[in-house]
Amino acid sequence: MATSIRRPPKDMLMRYDACQSKDTVIAQIAEGPQAVILAPGHGTHSGDWAETAPEPLLLDYLMLNLARHGFRRIVLVTGYPAVQRVALATRAQDLAIDLTIMVEPEPVGTGGMLLQVRHLLDDRFLMLNWNALLDVNYLALATPAIWREGDLGIVALRPVTDGRRQDLVEEKDGRITCFAERQGGVGPALTHGGVCWLDRAILDEIGTLPCAIERGVMPRLARAGRLAGQIWNDGFTDIGALADRERAQTEIAARLRRPAVFLDRDGVINHDIGYAHRPDQITWTQDAAAAIRHLNEAGYYVFVVTNQAGVARGYYDEAAVQTLHAWMQGQLRQAGAHVDDWRYCPCHPDGTVAAYRRHDDWRKPGPGMILDLARCWPVDMEGSFLIGDRASDLEAAAAAGIRGHMVEEAGLLNQVRRLTDGRK
């Protein structure tokens, strides 16, 4: 039984959506990567949480984290018929996510669950286990340079201090050489982090059901040299037991609250040529993508706040701004980086387009864009800062109560490394 939620999305990324093209939003969703969340029910690694469906907060956290990374299409496959569809549907709409919920009629294992939604899957997709929350850069896990010809998956690996209770994974030079069930011994080891990118062709390797893909398929792929792995030392929360789930409520809330870096656009992440509004007009500044990826992995929200008076002056419309930002997000994705949210102000008091000819607190040096992002996201403003290239950027930061810095000629990456040194 499947429930497909395909309502016209309310795009959380834009305040001024009156002129937004529905086709533009649909195109942005279609171009983004796809994620599959697996929540097996009875009989598939059930443990003592099998009697209750996943906590809404935990699924909410996963959806928010995926949306941050640019995932706008999510498939949830669950063994719980009573999963809270209404709450999930509302949250998906808020995050502009195209969510499809599939309930497995009987326990078939994680491999069988993927087979049930095979017709919905992209050629490559991200798979997550709902009860293992690993803070990983989803995009960096599968940059094009990592995939080798013939690979069917890239697995996020995490180190543990004691391997006796874990499925053992051995890795060498980015390749998984062994994927075994509960073969770990005393002492440090590597194990599956519950997050991986898969090629849809991996489904052809699934045999008799039920089948757990981690135990029924991945060991064979490791022996054949068709499985890559990346080690991640970031936060991990295992919520396989009820006690863990109760603890996770507090951990998740704390994990969501984090400082933010607000970046001006023209002159900071791309060269300012004056009213750029098309992809062919964008030249990235030195190390811009690497700097944004550094911030992603250092535990900061990354926001872009940009004045776009070209709309008020009639040089281009809002759809052009949104399309350009979607393209820029796609370019960053290829480098394993992402902007969490974008704000722009199309207004100017001297504009030629009447609808935008006004003073607006969102226009820097006003703090409106920064404050709106702080309202929409659980931002720790005390640890946040802005990088801009004009005095008006720094004035906006001061008005919002955060530090402001002029972008440095030495490069954005060196600057953000210095400003974030010690956070992780």
Side-chain angles (χ1 to χ4, degrees):
M1 176 174 57
T3 300
S4 184
I5 301 164
R6 303 181 186 277
R7 303 174 184 176
K10 180 175 68 177
D11 192 351
M12 63 181 275
L13 303 183
M14 308 298 176
R15 173 195 184 197
Y16 297 92
D17 57 4
C19 301
Q20 188 170 358
S21 163
K22 180 179 177 182
D23 291 339
T24 299
V25 175
I26 292 173
Q28 292 175 13
I29 291 175
E31 291 173 1
Q34 179 191 53
V36 179
I37 302 173
L38 300 183
H42 302 277
T44 52
H45 305 286
S46 56
D48 57 5
W49 49 267
E51 296 302 323
T52 56
E55 293 283 353
L57 175 62
L58 304 178
L59 291 176
D60 181 87
Y61 174 80
L62 285 176
M63 287 200 298
L64 176 61
N65 219 19
L66 288 166
R68 287 182 54 222
H69 286 77
F71 290 80
R72 290 288 180 259
R73 294 174 298 122
I74 299 177
V75 179
L76 169 63
V77 192
T78 176
Y80 302 97
V83 67
Q84 299 190 17
R85 297 166 187 247
V86 174
L88 292 175
T90 300
R91 189 56 170 150
Q93 187 176 20
D94 288 343
L95 296 174
I97 286 174
D98 180 356
L99 174 66
T100 298
I101 302 175
M102 175 76 77
V103 177
E104 59 173 348
E106 59 182 0
V108 290
T110 52
M113 296 172 84
L114 290 176
L115 284 177
Q116 290 183 352
V117 294
R118 182 172 192 160
H119 61 291
L120 300 175
L121 300 179
D122 287 355
D123 291 340
R124 287 179 180 169
F125 58 93
L126 180 72
M127 187 187 83
L128 307 94
N129 295 331
W130 82 271
N131 62 326
L133 304 183
L134 179 67
D135 267 347
V136 58
N137 184 337
Y138 301 137
L139 302 176
L141 182 61
T143 50
I146 297 176
W147 287 91
R148 294 185 184 178
E149 185 176 356
D151 280 355
L152 292 183
I154 301 175
V155 182
L157 307 175
R158 64 182 184 90
V160 293
T161 56
D162 189 345
R164 285 177 294 182
R165 298 181 56 193
Q166 308 293 336
D167 291 347
L168 175 67
V169 178
E170 295 180 4
E171 177 268 347
K172 183 178 180 181
D173 298 329
R175 311 301 299 174
I176 295 178
T177 58
C178 178
F179 207 112
E181 180 178 352
R182 296 293 166 91
Q183 297 294 319
V186 178
L190 286 177
T191 189
H192 186 353
V195 179
C196 57
W197 280 88
L198 299 177
D199 190 295
R200 189 173 58 181
I202 198 173
L203 303 186
D204 297 332
E205 304 294 323
I206 298 173
T208 305
L209 299 180
C211 171
I213 199 165
E214 301 88 346
R215 297 178 175 179
V217 176
M218 288 187 176
R220 296 200 313 270
L221 297 180
R223 290 193 296 269
R226 305 182 69 185
L227 206 58
Q230 284 200 57
I231 300 173
W232 292 85
N233 294 294
D234 294 335
F236 174 79
T237 303
D238 187 352
I239 47 180
L242 288 177
D244 295 326
R245 294 173 71 180
E246 293 169 0
R247 171 178 49 81
Q249 309 296 313
T250 301
E251 287 189 11
I252 289 173
R255 197 181 294 180
L256 285 172
R257 185 167 181 78
R258 60 183 68 188
V261 177
F262 300 84
L263 300 174
D264 180 40
R265 197 191 80 182
D266 303 322
V268 175
I269 63 174
N270 61 274
H271 291 287
D272 189 357
I273 65 169
Y275 303 111
H277 60 281
R278 299 192 313 268
D280 65 308
Q281 297 173 318
I282 297 298
T283 302
W284 297 92
T285 56
Q286 179 183 354
D287 297 328
I292 292 172
R293 176 170 169 172
H294 172 83
L295 293 171
N296 296 150
E297 296 178 3
Y300 287 80
Y301 291 121
V302 179
F303 302 130
V304 169
V305 288
T306 175
N307 289 345
Q308 290 297 312
V311 176
R313 297 184 185 281
Y315 300 151
Y316 47 88
D317 59 16
E318 289 195 62
V321 179
Q322 295 155 14
T323 300
L324 178 60
H325 288 172
W327 177 84
M328 294 177 75
Q329 189 80 297
Q331 294 294 299
L332 291 171
R333 185 184 306 133
Q334 294 181 30
H338 71 275
V339 170
D340 291 297
D341 210 344
W342 305 70
R343 290 293 185 273
Y344 68 92
C345 181
C347 301
H348 193 283
D350 299 325
T352 59
V353 180
Y356 302 108
R357 187 172 57 246
R358 63 177 184 270
H359 289 278
D360 194 299
D361 188 55
W362 274 41
R363 178 172 173 78
K364 294 175 291 184
M369 290 186 284
I370 299 171
L371 295 178
D372 187 69
L373 286 162
R375 282 191 293 267
C376 294
W377 294 81
V379 176
D380 173 10
M381 292 292 278
E382 184 176 350
S384 300
F385 59 89
L386 175 145
I387 298 178
D389 68 329
R390 299 189 181 190
S392 58
D393 295 320
L394 305 194
E395 291 174 33
I402 63 173
R403 293 171 293 148
H405 303 275
M406 279 289 187
V407 66
E408 298 173 355
E409 292 184 3
L412 189 60
L413 178 59
N414 288 334
Q415 185 174 12
V416 300
R417 278 177 173 167
R418 190 184 67 257
L419 292 173
T420 61
D421 183 41
R423 168 147 177 89
K424 272 200 171 183

